[in-house]
Amino acid sequence: MSSLSAFPESVFPSQPEPLTVMGGGLVGTLAALYLARRGYPVEIYDRRADPRQLSKSTEGRSINLALSDRGWRALEGVGISEQIQPVAIPMYQRIMHDQQGRLTYQPYGRENQAIYSVSRDGLNRALLDLAEVNSHISLHFNQKCQFVDLPNRHLVLRDTLTGQEQTRSFRHLFGVDGAYSAVRSAMQKTDRFDYSQQYLNYGYKELTIEAGANGTWRLEKNALHIWPRGQYMMIALPNLDGSFNCTLFFPYEGEHSFATLQTGAQVQAFFAQVFPDALPLMPALEEDFFQNPTSSLVTIRCYPWSVADEVLLLGDASHAIVPFYGQGMNAGFEDCSVLDDLLDQHGSDWHTVFAEFQRLRKPNADAMADLAVYNFEEMRDRVADPRFLLRKKIESKISAQYPDQWVPLYTQVTFSSTPYADAWANGQRQEQVMQRLMPHIQSEADYDQPAVQALVQQELANLAY
Amino acid sequence: MSSLSAFPESVFPSQPEPLTVMGGGLVGTLAALYLARRGYPVEIYDRRADPRQLSKSTEGRSINLALSDRGWRALEGVGISEQIQPVAIPMYQRIMHDQQGRLTYQPYGRENQAIYSVSRDGLNRALLDLAEVNSHISLHFNQKCQFVDLPNRHLVLRDTLTGQEQTRSFRHLFGVDGAYSAVRSAMQKTDRFDYSQQYLNYGYKELTIEAGANGTWRLEKNALHIWPRGQYMMIALPNLDGSFNCTLFFPYEGEHSFATLQTGAQVQAFFAQVFPDALPLMPALEEDFFQNPTSSLVTIRCYPWSVADEVLLLGDASHAIVPFYGQGMNAGFEDCSVLDDLLDQHGSDWHTVFAEFQRLRKPNADAMADLAVYNFEEMRDRVADPRFLLRKKIESKISAQYPDQWVPLYTQVTFSSTPYADAWANGQRQEQVMQRLMPHIQSEADYDQPAVQALVQQELANLAY
């Protein structure tokens, strides 16, 4: 068998090799669906219980994610997008809430361009349902990866219910087991493996805005709400049941921080002062605040992502990012699209597929990690600045007038498949242009002045991309 | 006991608490000597065998290190510098060997300023001998740290000879167990621990220049020899027996790389072409090249370095760097001096000592890591450039003329106790000055021209440090 594996399947249409996917989360299950479509038998192992066996009482309340174009495209590839559409809530704009409860609005893109609030849990269940009925895929839950023996291609799994260990061999292993990946840990012990884990000094806490009467939404439904406060912020994403999932991103230490909010009264007083329009909508605030965990925010980078034709890391296992651009899941889903394209090109030459995957994808993952941290600063601080919002409006005008020459950074990341690294490079050039233009612009109307128009045309002529 | 530990010993002269040092290498043993001087009982555990029990046949041939001022100062603190002096060979200059075997010379500092070639093994034995006779210290070899239970303050050690495991409790644990620290691994599993390991695309190989007749040196003894070749280099440090330890720093992959030198004939031909004056002095070249390992070069950064008053990392465990500035051991030794200063200030308030240590020392460790990579570029590439060497001479002249206003970067790092971060910041300012000055200078003589002198004075007036 192994002597044939250097040839594409089309040359030697051998029996497809079995594939092992460690991780049955969003990206692992989607990757398995892509691989199964090619006829490979796929075993999925996950250390957690089958989420479909758990109580559904928390559905609609679990963490929400923002699904955008890259994610939709990857879901379309396995024909699941129609199934997700009805449970995804389009968010056409950011709505900023200031400390007096006044609102400002910033569309995410052109009309009808939206990011979609989806339940992580619901999406995972839908993907697992598809995997369950796929005859090429077998699902194994409660299987914790204890050890990966890379040279001998076997792994040790412990059943978390019975405590029994089993050793399984593998031909090709996909490590899709998240930010704290066991597969990556095994690779990290090999020589010359670059690795970093970097935490923000911020934690996050999940909170809830209750539904109104009859499941109505007490804030604008089709928007992502932000309470930007400079050094911290709260956001809210809509649920189908009328509630919103809120997330408070807050320093661990300092004057206003998790360290200083220790009692219910302190939490109430703080929210009354800084989130006054949200507080009345959050009757469970104290309970949420003290019962939900404070979670940390990590960026993980590593390289290489593969070992010969043995192992390939996908998703958070190789590139966990902070959540502020809403791209963590989308980037992982795009991994599946890129892998699929490479399998089109190189067949079952796994060595080439794995090597090409990491070569193509690593710069984009690094750029996305930078973008995610950058967007945190924008969301918690800059969106509260009228000059920044004016700048965004001027950018929209430039983009509307010269759509081929100016695609805003957010649009490139969220509504295109432009590689993240290219988007980031373009965005940095646009940033410089805007820094030169804005001193000449005091209002939206100024954009139409001949002198400003001439400046814009000159800048665009210099922007060669 | 623990209720007293918030007070300095001088206030409550309680029984000193026992301390645990994981790692009996250079820095671990020196740290133990410093701690024992204050009356603390110290247990040292090391996973390796006692190096003093091993054959001495390789002495004088083991890896050499460059001991400089920071290291000497730390050794003086425990009264061992006089003992090391006779076996340390001063190196007053770099001697560069070009591809035709022509030599150029670059003094390291002023007359009598030298870095010292010492045997790592010899130095470690000397430190262990001192620890052995110290009644406060007990040494335990062949004890591999399997597990550190941070909350419960105990660790599991496996005797590598008998295979037996023992559990030991600790009050305060010093993790001085090197770049692949087991203590740090335990900390890495806690939340919000920043960590990175970054490898160069270069490996290194230890080689040997043989002694001449009667133990004479076949190259200038009191120098560090460099064969800079742009993308790679070889260096040589003198041994007491007339031989030199050579190290080839070489890419893993590429045209000239470990990957392409696969046979004895290839190695001979390559050395004949690029290191022609060294080759005749290296009769064991082929044997060395194929029997010695190719070792990787890693930079390790992490934070925090401490857990409350439980654990503190020292030396390579918290800040492993590449060897190109000759500061790895010196930085680790300086850790011991800084720790000792803090114990003077804060007594046995370990929580404060550990917190202050990491606060003070982390920026300096980061700067030294950057400097070490920077110096690799200088050694393998820039020292072969006549313009660079002219610039170094002009810098020496400025420094000689204005010693209070201009201390060269190398001198700050190597011959001073200026914090590394300050040295690096100063060095970057000096770099900018030299970039402005050098276009006006074509030869050493130009320095004395009134126009150049005026420029120098103007630059120094602007350099406020």
Side-chain angles (χ1 to χ4, degrees), chain A residues 180 188 190-201 252-253 294 296, chain B residues 180 188 190-201 252-253 294 296:
Chain A
Y180 299 97
Q188 201 178 328
T190 62
D191 195 23
R192 295 172 66 202
F193 185 78
D194 285 342
Y195 173 76
S196 81
Q197 59 186 44
Q198 188 92 31
Y199 287 84
L200 294 185
N201 292 325
Y252 276 101
E253 315 279 340
T294 303
S296 54
Chain B
Y180 299 98
Q188 202 177 326
T190 61
D191 194 24
R192 296 173 65 203
F193 185 78
D194 285 342
Y195 174 75
S196 82
Q197 57 186 45
Q198 188 92 31
Y199 287 85
L200 294 185
N201 293 324
Y252 277 101
E253 314 281 340
T294 303
S296 54

mmCIF file of all heavy atoms in Angstrom, chain A residues 180 188 190-201 252-253 294 296, chain B residues 180 188 190-201 252-253 294 296:
data_model
loop_
_atom_site.group_PDB
_atom_site.id
_atom_site.type_symbol
_atom_site.label_atom_id
_atom_site.label_comp_id
_atom_site.label_asym_id
_atom_site.label_seq_id
_atom_site.Cartn_x
_atom_site.Cartn_y
_atom_site.Cartn_z
ATOM 1 N N TYR A 180 -6.185 23.700 22.861
ATOM 2 C CA TYR A 180 -5.336 22.943 23.784
ATOM 3 C C TYR A 180 -5.098 21.531 23.246
ATOM 4 O O TYR A 180 -5.077 20.547 23.980
ATOM 5 C CB TYR A 180 -5.944 22.975 25.193
ATOM 6 C CG TYR A 180 -6.034 24.399 25.680
ATOM 7 C CD1 TYR A 180 -7.203 25.130 25.585
ATOM 8 C CD2 TYR A 180 -4.883 25.046 26.136
ATOM 9 C CE1 TYR A 180 -7.247 26.470 25.974
ATOM 10 C CE2 TYR A 180 -4.924 26.381 26.526
ATOM 11 C CZ TYR A 180 -6.105 27.084 26.440
ATOM 12 O OH TYR A 180 -6.135 28.409 26.809
ATOM 13 N N GLN A 188 4.806 19.204 19.612
ATOM 14 C CA GLN A 188 5.616 20.201 20.306
ATOM 15 C C GLN A 188 6.847 19.572 20.958
ATOM 16 O O GLN A 188 7.814 20.261 21.241
ATOM 17 C CB GLN A 188 4.748 20.899 21.368
ATOM 18 C CG GLN A 188 5.289 22.249 21.787
ATOM 19 C CD GLN A 188 4.368 22.928 22.791
ATOM 20 O OE1 GLN A 188 3.169 22.748 22.760
ATOM 21 N NE2 GLN A 188 4.953 23.703 23.681
ATOM 22 N N THR A 190 8.716 17.403 19.510
ATOM 23 C CA THR A 190 9.741 17.122 18.502
ATOM 24 C C THR A 190 10.645 18.352 18.364
ATOM 25 O O THR A 190 10.271 19.458 18.744
ATOM 26 C CB THR A 190 9.108 16.796 17.135
ATOM 27 O OG1 THR A 190 8.364 17.938 16.677
ATOM 28 C CG2 THR A 190 8.158 15.606 17.244
ATOM 29 N N ASP A 191 11.821 18.155 17.820
ATOM 30 C CA ASP A 191 12.793 19.244 17.696
ATOM 31 C C ASP A 191 12.316 20.270 16.662
ATOM 32 O O ASP A 191 11.641 19.920 15.702
ATOM 33 C CB ASP A 191 14.145 18.672 17.275
ATOM 34 C CG ASP A 191 15.285 19.675 17.470
ATOM 35 O OD1 ASP A 191 15.143 20.595 18.289
ATOM 36 O OD2 ASP A 191 16.324 19.522 16.806
ATOM 37 N N ARG A 192 12.677 21.516 16.904
ATOM 38 C CA ARG A 192 12.449 22.597 15.950
ATOM 39 C C ARG A 192 10.979 22.856 15.677
ATOM 40 O O ARG A 192 10.599 23.182 14.557
ATOM 41 C CB ARG A 192 13.206 22.336 14.643
ATOM 42 C CG ARG A 192 14.719 22.351 14.824
ATOM 43 C CD ARG A 192 15.431 21.891 13.572
ATOM 44 N NE ARG A 192 15.235 22.825 12.489
ATOM 45 C CZ ARG A 192 15.366 22.523 11.209
ATOM 46 N NH1 ARG A 192 15.661 21.305 10.842
ATOM 47 N NH2 ARG A 192 15.178 23.430 10.286
ATOM 48 N N PHE A 193 10.151 22.723 16.695
ATOM 49 C CA PHE A 193 8.740 23.061 16.568
ATOM 50 C C PHE A 193 8.533 24.434 17.195
ATOM 51 O O PHE A 193 8.653 24.595 18.408
ATOM 52 C CB PHE A 193 7.888 21.999 17.268
ATOM 53 C CG PHE A 193 6.401 22.200 17.083
ATOM 54 C CD1 PHE A 193 5.790 21.834 15.893
ATOM 55 C CD2 PHE A 193 5.630 22.754 18.089
ATOM 56 C CE1 PHE A 193 4.419 22.016 15.715
ATOM 57 C CE2 PHE A 193 4.258 22.933 17.910
ATOM 58 C CZ PHE A 193 3.653 22.563 16.722
ATOM 59 N N ASP A 194 8.242 25.424 16.364
ATOM 60 C CA ASP A 194 7.981 26.769 16.887
ATOM 61 C C ASP A 194 6.584 26.814 17.481
ATOM 62 O O ASP A 194 5.631 26.292 16.890
ATOM 63 C CB ASP A 194 8.065 27.813 15.767
ATOM 64 C CG ASP A 194 9.493 28.110 15.365
ATOM 65 O OD1 ASP A 194 10.405 27.788 16.141
ATOM 66 O OD2 ASP A 194 9.691 28.657 14.265
ATOM 67 N N TYR A 195 6.476 27.446 18.634
ATOM 68 C CA TYR A 195 5.182 27.476 19.313
ATOM 69 C C TYR A 195 5.068 28.720 20.170
ATOM 70 O O TYR A 195 6.045 29.123 20.804
ATOM 71 C CB TYR A 195 5.026 26.230 20.206
ATOM 72 C CG TYR A 195 3.776 26.280 21.056
ATOM 73 C CD1 TYR A 195 2.539 26.026 20.477
ATOM 74 C CD2 TYR A 195 3.836 26.626 22.397
ATOM 75 C CE1 TYR A 195 1.385 26.106 21.237
ATOM 76 C CE2 TYR A 195 2.680 26.706 23.163
ATOM 77 C CZ TYR A 195 1.457 26.440 22.582
ATOM 78 O OH TYR A 195 0.323 26.530 23.319
ATOM 79 N N SER A 196 3.900 29.338 20.182
ATOM 80 C CA SER A 196 3.670 30.389 21.174
ATOM 81 C C SER A 196 2.208 30.414 21.608
ATOM 82 O O SER A 196 1.304 30.166 20.811
ATOM 83 C CB SER A 196 4.094 31.774 20.670
ATOM 84 O OG SER A 196 3.106 32.338 19.856
ATOM 85 N N GLN A 197 2.013 30.668 22.869
ATOM 86 C CA GLN A 197 0.677 30.946 23.425
ATOM 87 C C GLN A 197 0.775 32.280 24.152
ATOM 88 O O GLN A 197 1.657 32.489 24.974
ATOM 89 C CB GLN A 197 0.224 29.823 24.371
ATOM 90 C CG GLN A 197 1.134 29.571 25.555
ATOM 91 C CD GLN A 197 0.728 28.360 26.382
ATOM 92 O OE1 GLN A 197 0.392 27.309 25.843
ATOM 93 N NE2 GLN A 197 0.779 28.494 27.711
ATOM 94 N N GLN A 198 -0.099 33.212 23.768
ATOM 95 C CA GLN A 198 -0.007 34.583 24.269
ATOM 96 C C GLN A 198 -1.399 34.989 24.737
ATOM 97 O O GLN A 198 -2.349 34.934 23.959
ATOM 98 C CB GLN A 198 0.447 35.487 23.105
ATOM 99 C CG GLN A 198 0.785 36.897 23.477
ATOM 100 C CD GLN A 198 2.260 37.043 23.788
ATOM 101 O OE1 GLN A 198 3.077 36.343 23.233
ATOM 102 N NE2 GLN A 198 2.599 37.954 24.689
ATOM 103 N N TYR A 199 -1.497 35.370 25.992
ATOM 104 C CA TYR A 199 -2.791 35.745 26.563
ATOM 105 C C TYR A 199 -2.965 37.253 26.579
ATOM 106 O O TYR A 199 -1.991 38.007 26.772
ATOM 107 C CB TYR A 199 -2.922 35.204 27.988
ATOM 108 C CG TYR A 199 -3.131 33.707 28.032
ATOM 109 C CD1 TYR A 199 -2.062 32.832 27.974
ATOM 110 C CD2 TYR A 199 -4.417 33.180 28.076
ATOM 111 C CE1 TYR A 199 -2.256 31.453 27.978
ATOM 112 C CE2 TYR A 199 -4.623 31.812 28.085
ATOM 113 C CZ TYR A 199 -3.541 30.952 28.039
ATOM 114 O OH TYR A 199 -3.740 29.604 28.025
ATOM 115 N N LEU A 200 -4.197 37.719 26.393
ATOM 116 C CA LEU A 200 -4.503 39.123 26.657
ATOM 117 C C LEU A 200 -4.652 39.305 28.169
ATOM 118 O O LEU A 200 -4.943 38.354 28.895
ATOM 119 C CB LEU A 200 -5.816 39.527 25.968
ATOM 120 C CG LEU A 200 -5.821 39.525 24.443
ATOM 121 C CD1 LEU A 200 -7.168 40.080 23.943
ATOM 122 C CD2 LEU A 200 -4.684 40.353 23.861
ATOM 123 N N ASN A 201 -4.490 40.553 28.623
ATOM 124 C CA ASN A 201 -4.727 40.841 30.038
ATOM 125 C C ASN A 201 -6.218 41.020 30.320
ATOM 126 O O ASN A 201 -6.600 41.590 31.326
ATOM 127 C CB ASN A 201 -3.962 42.093 30.453
ATOM 128 C CG ASN A 201 -2.469 41.860 30.436
ATOM 129 O OD1 ASN A 201 -2.014 40.764 30.750
ATOM 130 N ND2 ASN A 201 -1.708 42.865 30.035
ATOM 131 N N TYR A 252 -8.435 41.799 33.784
ATOM 132 C CA TYR A 252 -8.339 40.983 35.000
ATOM 133 C C TYR A 252 -8.025 41.848 36.219
ATOM 134 O O TYR A 252 -8.543 41.612 37.301
ATOM 135 C CB TYR A 252 -7.238 39.927 34.846
ATOM 136 C CG TYR A 252 -7.690 38.683 34.127
ATOM 137 C CD1 TYR A 252 -7.392 38.480 32.785
ATOM 138 C CD2 TYR A 252 -8.405 37.697 34.795
ATOM 139 C CE1 TYR A 252 -7.793 37.331 32.127
ATOM 140 C CE2 TYR A 252 -8.813 36.550 34.147
ATOM 141 C CZ TYR A 252 -8.505 36.369 32.814
ATOM 142 O OH TYR A 252 -8.908 35.230 32.164
ATOM 143 N N GLU A 253 -7.123 42.823 36.019
ATOM 144 C CA GLU A 253 -6.664 43.653 37.137
ATOM 145 C C GLU A 253 -6.855 45.114 36.782
ATOM 146 O O GLU A 253 -7.004 45.456 35.625
ATOM 147 C CB GLU A 253 -5.147 43.435 37.386
ATOM 148 C CG GLU A 253 -4.679 41.990 37.389
ATOM 149 C CD GLU A 253 -4.945 41.296 38.708
ATOM 150 O OE1 GLU A 253 -5.138 42.006 39.706
ATOM 151 O OE2 GLU A 253 -4.967 40.041 38.726
ATOM 152 N N THR A 294 -14.917 33.167 34.443
ATOM 153 C CA THR A 294 -14.158 34.192 33.740
ATOM 154 C C THR A 294 -13.166 33.454 32.845
ATOM 155 O O THR A 294 -12.334 32.701 33.343
ATOM 156 C CB THR A 294 -13.392 35.081 34.725
ATOM 157 O OG1 THR A 294 -14.328 35.650 35.637
ATOM 158 C CG2 THR A 294 -12.644 36.192 34.011
ATOM 159 N N SER A 296 -10.261 33.110 29.739
ATOM 160 C CA SER A 296 -9.101 33.858 29.233
ATOM 161 C C SER A 296 -9.119 33.889 27.705
ATOM 162 O O SER A 296 -9.868 33.156 27.059
ATOM 163 C CB SER A 296 -7.815 33.229 29.750
ATOM 164 O OG SER A 296 -7.775 31.856 29.445
ATOM 165 N N TYR B 180 14.448 23.082 28.654
ATOM 166 C CA TYR B 180 13.313 22.161 28.566
ATOM 167 C C TYR B 180 12.774 21.844 29.964
ATOM 168 O O TYR B 180 12.392 20.723 30.284
ATOM 169 C CB TYR B 180 13.720 20.916 27.757
ATOM 170 C CG TYR B 180 14.122 21.326 26.369
ATOM 171 C CD1 TYR B 180 15.457 21.507 26.018
ATOM 172 C CD2 TYR B 180 13.147 21.631 25.424
ATOM 173 C CE1 TYR B 180 15.819 21.954 24.752
ATOM 174 C CE2 TYR B 180 13.488 22.079 24.160
ATOM 175 C CZ TYR B 180 14.822 22.239 23.816
ATOM 176 O OH TYR B 180 15.161 22.699 22.571
ATOM 177 N N GLN B 188 3.169 25.949 32.700
ATOM 178 C CA GLN B 188 2.570 26.191 31.387
ATOM 179 C C GLN B 188 1.144 25.662 31.325
ATOM 180 O O GLN B 188 0.361 26.087 30.485
ATOM 181 C CB GLN B 188 3.445 25.519 30.321
ATOM 182 C CG GLN B 188 3.246 26.109 28.936
ATOM 183 C CD GLN B 188 4.164 25.472 27.915
ATOM 184 O OE1 GLN B 188 5.282 25.103 28.238
ATOM 185 N NE2 GLN B 188 3.717 25.363 26.679
ATOM 186 N N THR B 190 -1.016 26.040 33.651
ATOM 187 C CA THR B 190 -1.928 26.939 34.352
ATOM 188 C C THR B 190 -2.440 27.989 33.364
ATOM 189 O O THR B 190 -1.842 28.212 32.314
ATOM 190 C CB THR B 190 -1.229 27.651 35.534
ATOM 191 O OG1 THR B 190 -0.141 28.440 35.016
ATOM 192 C CG2 THR B 190 -0.669 26.643 36.516
ATOM 193 N N ASP B 191 -3.559 28.608 33.695
ATOM 194 C CA ASP B 191 -4.166 29.585 32.792
ATOM 195 C C ASP B 191 -3.291 30.838 32.698
ATOM 196 O O ASP B 191 -2.607 31.207 33.647
ATOM 197 C CB ASP B 191 -5.565 29.943 33.309
ATOM 198 C CG ASP B 191 -6.395 30.677 32.258
ATOM 199 O OD1 ASP B 191 -6.125 30.527 31.057
ATOM 200 O OD2 ASP B 191 -7.329 31.396 32.651
ATOM 201 N N ARG B 192 -3.363 31.479 31.527
ATOM 202 C CA ARG B 192 -2.721 32.779 31.305
ATOM 203 C C ARG B 192 -1.214 32.732 31.474
ATOM 204 O O ARG B 192 -0.605 33.701 31.956
ATOM 205 C CB ARG B 192 -3.342 33.850 32.221
ATOM 206 C CG ARG B 192 -4.816 34.092 31.915
ATOM 207 C CD ARG B 192 -5.451 35.014 32.921
ATOM 208 N NE ARG B 192 -4.875 36.335 32.862
ATOM 209 C CZ ARG B 192 -4.889 37.205 33.864
ATOM 210 N NH1 ARG B 192 -5.456 36.859 35.019
ATOM 211 N NH2 ARG B 192 -4.347 38.380 33.742
ATOM 212 N N PHE B 193 -0.608 31.638 31.056
ATOM 213 C CA PHE B 193 0.855 31.559 31.061
ATOM 214 C C PHE B 193 1.334 31.788 29.630
ATOM 215 O O PHE B 193 1.097 30.981 28.736
ATOM 216 C CB PHE B 193 1.296 30.179 31.555
ATOM 217 C CG PHE B 193 2.792 30.044 31.710
ATOM 218 C CD1 PHE B 193 3.439 30.594 32.808
ATOM 219 C CD2 PHE B 193 3.545 29.367 30.760
ATOM 220 C CE1 PHE B 193 4.821 30.471 32.957
ATOM 221 C CE2 PHE B 193 4.929 29.243 30.910
ATOM 222 C CZ PHE B 193 5.558 29.790 32.012
ATOM 223 N N ASP B 194 1.985 32.931 29.393
ATOM 224 C CA ASP B 194 2.517 33.217 28.062
ATOM 225 C C ASP B 194 3.786 32.408 27.851
ATOM 226 O O ASP B 194 4.644 32.326 28.744
ATOM 227 C CB ASP B 194 2.856 34.707 27.928
ATOM 228 C CG ASP B 194 1.610 35.574 27.771
ATOM 229 O OD1 ASP B 194 0.549 35.028 27.436
ATOM 230 O OD2 ASP B 194 1.715 36.787 27.989
ATOM 231 N N TYR B 195 3.907 31.849 26.660
ATOM 232 C CA TYR B 195 5.063 30.993 26.395
ATOM 233 C C TYR B 195 5.383 31.007 24.910
ATOM 234 O O TYR B 195 4.473 30.983 24.075
ATOM 235 C CB TYR B 195 4.751 29.552 26.827
ATOM 236 C CG TYR B 195 5.847 28.590 26.441
ATOM 237 C CD1 TYR B 195 7.037 28.561 27.155
ATOM 238 C CD2 TYR B 195 5.709 27.746 25.335
ATOM 239 C CE1 TYR B 195 8.059 27.707 26.779
ATOM 240 C CE2 TYR B 195 6.728 26.895 24.955
ATOM 241 C CZ TYR B 195 7.898 26.875 25.685
ATOM 242 O OH TYR B 195 8.912 26.046 25.304
ATOM 243 N N SER B 196 6.657 31.056 24.574
ATOM 244 C CA SER B 196 7.030 30.810 23.176
ATOM 245 C C SER B 196 8.373 30.113 23.087
ATOM 246 O O SER B 196 9.277 30.354 23.894
ATOM 247 C CB SER B 196 7.055 32.109 22.362
ATOM 248 O OG SER B 196 8.257 32.799 22.530
ATOM 249 N N GLN B 197 8.456 29.211 22.131
ATOM 250 C CA GLN B 197 9.736 28.592 21.758
ATOM 251 C C GLN B 197 9.905 28.814 20.266
ATOM 252 O O GLN B 197 9.018 28.503 19.478
ATOM 253 C CB GLN B 197 9.760 27.097 22.107
ATOM 254 C CG GLN B 197 8.643 26.277 21.476
ATOM 255 C CD GLN B 197 8.610 24.833 21.943
ATOM 256 O OE1 GLN B 197 8.732 24.555 23.123
ATOM 257 N NE2 GLN B 197 8.449 23.909 21.005
ATOM 258 N N GLN B 198 11.030 29.425 19.898
ATOM 259 C CA GLN B 198 11.247 29.832 18.509
ATOM 260 C C GLN B 198 12.626 29.324 18.086
ATOM 261 O O GLN B 198 13.620 29.641 18.732
ATOM 262 C CB GLN B 198 11.223 31.370 18.454
ATOM 263 C CG GLN B 198 11.243 31.972 17.087
ATOM 264 C CD GLN B 198 9.832 32.207 16.580
ATOM 265 O OE1 GLN B 198 8.922 32.466 17.356
ATOM 266 N NE2 GLN B 198 9.646 32.094 15.272
ATOM 267 N N TYR B 199 12.652 28.530 17.031
ATOM 268 C CA TYR B 199 13.921 27.965 16.560
ATOM 269 C C TYR B 199 14.477 28.766 15.394
ATOM 270 O O TYR B 199 13.728 29.292 14.564
ATOM 271 C CB TYR B 199 13.708 26.513 16.121
ATOM 272 C CG TYR B 199 13.509 25.577 17.292
ATOM 273 C CD1 TYR B 199 12.261 25.400 17.860
ATOM 274 C CD2 TYR B 199 14.588 24.907 17.849
ATOM 275 C CE1 TYR B 199 12.084 24.562 18.955
ATOM 276 C CE2 TYR B 199 14.421 24.068 18.941
ATOM 277 C CZ TYR B 199 13.168 23.903 19.491
ATOM 278 O OH TYR B 199 13.013 23.090 20.570
ATOM 279 N N LEU B 200 15.810 28.844 15.319
ATOM 280 C CA LEU B 200 16.450 29.354 14.102
ATOM 281 C C LEU B 200 16.435 28.233 13.055
ATOM 282 O O LEU B 200 16.369 27.053 13.392
ATOM 283 C CB LEU B 200 17.895 29.769 14.382
ATOM 284 C CG LEU B 200 18.109 30.960 15.320
ATOM 285 C CD1 LEU B 200 19.604 31.309 15.381
ATOM 286 C CD2 LEU B 200 17.323 32.190 14.865
ATOM 287 N N ASN B 201 16.553 28.643 11.780
ATOM 288 C CA ASN B 201 16.678 27.637 10.725
ATOM 289 C C ASN B 201 18.113 27.127 10.613
ATOM 290 O O ASN B 201 18.508 26.580 9.593
ATOM 291 C CB ASN B 201 16.221 28.222 9.383
ATOM 292 C CG ASN B 201 14.732 28.506 9.378
ATOM 293 O OD1 ASN B 201 13.955 27.760 9.963
ATOM 294 N ND2 ASN B 201 14.338 29.593 8.749
ATOM 295 N N TYR B 252 19.984 24.264 8.164
ATOM 296 C CA TYR B 252 19.521 22.879 8.055
ATOM 297 C C TYR B 252 19.291 22.494 6.594
ATOM 298 O O TYR B 252 19.568 21.374 6.191
ATOM 299 C CB TYR B 252 18.212 22.688 8.831
ATOM 300 C CG TYR B 252 18.403 22.439 10.301
ATOM 301 C CD1 TYR B 252 18.228 23.457 11.229
ATOM 302 C CD2 TYR B 252 18.751 21.171 10.761
ATOM 303 C CE1 TYR B 252 18.395 23.224 12.586
ATOM 304 C CE2 TYR B 252 18.925 20.926 12.115
ATOM 305 C CZ TYR B 252 18.743 21.955 13.026
ATOM 306 O OH TYR B 252 18.911 21.717 14.359
ATOM 307 N N GLU B 253 18.737 23.448 5.819
ATOM 308 C CA GLU B 253 18.362 23.159 4.442
ATOM 309 C C GLU B 253 18.975 24.216 3.538
ATOM 310 O O GLU B 253 19.349 25.284 3.994
ATOM 311 C CB GLU B 253 16.823 23.252 4.271
ATOM 312 C CG GLU B 253 15.989 22.568 5.321
ATOM 313 C CD GLU B 253 15.894 21.065 5.114
ATOM 314 O OE1 GLU B 253 16.155 20.624 3.976
ATOM 315 O OE2 GLU B 253 15.572 20.344 6.082
ATOM 316 N N THR B 294 23.813 17.148 15.357
ATOM 317 C CA THR B 294 23.449 18.487 14.884
ATOM 318 C C THR B 294 22.418 19.018 15.868
ATOM 319 O O THR B 294 21.362 18.419 16.036
ATOM 320 C CB THR B 294 22.825 18.422 13.479
ATOM 321 O OG1 THR B 294 23.759 17.787 12.603
ATOM 322 C CG2 THR B 294 22.492 19.816 12.971
ATOM 323 N N SER B 296 19.946 22.019 17.647
ATOM 324 C CA SER B 296 19.110 23.140 17.221
ATOM 325 C C SER B 296 19.329 24.345 18.136
ATOM 326 O O SER B 296 19.936 24.239 19.199
ATOM 327 C CB SER B 296 17.641 22.714 17.211
ATOM 328 O OG SER B 296 17.275 22.187 18.469
#
